[in-house]
Amino acid sequence: MDELLTEIISQARSAWRFRWYGVAVAWGVALLGWGVVAYLPDIYEGSTRIYVDTSSVLKPLLNKQIVASDIETRLLYVRQALLGKEYLERVANENGLFAGAKDAIDRETVTEKLR
């Protein structure tokens, strides 16, 4: 046990003698890291891709039409459904975007930004 304690004290004294080298190396690494982080771009972006089977989704909505609509018209219907007020309010509510909204005007502003 004495040998272990003597070895630990010896190592501690050796490390204490070179403490300023350790401080200098730590500051150098920190400054280099800060420089790298400062040059990183402040770009945050996200993307999404939605695959829609328009024949199954729109069938209840389009069952009273006489002429079948083309794919562009169907996609327009889906886009309108996704950007509708009720759907956007549900998305904002589920994600906590209405937390800071105090009245209906603030909720409308959040919905418009989301749109």
Side-chain angles (χ1 to χ4, degrees), residues 15-31:
W16 187 252
R17 282 189 314 185
F18 298 106
R19 67 185 180 275
W20 295 114
Y21 294 121
V23 169
V25 168
W27 270 100
V29 169
L31 290 175

Side-chain angles (χ1 to χ4, degrees), residues 27-40:
W27 270 100
V29 169
L31 290 175
L32 181 67
W34 289 337
V36 168
V37 169
Y39 282 110
L40 289 176

Side-chain angles (χ1 to χ4, degrees), residues 51-71:
Y51 296 100
V52 179
D53 181 15
T54 57
S55 61
S56 65
V57 173
L58 297 175
K59 194 170 207 168
L61 298 174
L62 302 176
N63 61 359
K64 295 180 183 176
Q65 285 187 346
I66 297 172
V67 178
S69 57
D70 62 341
I71 191 69

Side-chain angles (χ1 to χ4, degrees), residues 9-108:
I9 290 172
S10 173
Q11 291 294 328
R13 284 184 181 156
S14 295
W16 187 252
R17 282 189 314 185
F18 298 106
R19 67 185 180 275
W20 295 114
Y21 294 121
V23 169
V25 168
W27 270 100
V29 169
L31 290 175
L32 181 67
W34 289 337
V36 168
V37 169
Y39 282 110
L40 289 176
D42 294 333
I43 297 175
Y44 306 99
E45 63 183 42
S47 64
T48 185
R49 189 173 287 182
I50 299 174
Y51 296 100
V52 179
D53 181 15
T54 57
S55 61
S56 65
V57 173
L58 297 175
K59 194 170 207 168
L61 298 174
L62 302 176
N63 61 359
K64 295 180 183 176
Q65 285 187 346
I66 297 172
V67 178
S69 57
D70 62 341
I71 191 69
E72 290 294 325
T73 306
R74 289 182 182 183
L75 288 176
L76 179 64
Y77 290 147
V78 171
R79 184 179 299 122
Q80 287 174 350
L82 288 175
L83 294 177
K85 184 176 180 179
E86 297 84 17
Y87 184 76
L88 289 177
E89 284 179 351
R90 190 177 84 201
V91 168
N93 194 26
E94 289 176 0
N95 290 300
L97 299 177
F98 286 150
K102 295 178 178 61
D103 55 0
I105 296 172
D106 290 341
R107 291 175 66 95
E108 185 67 29

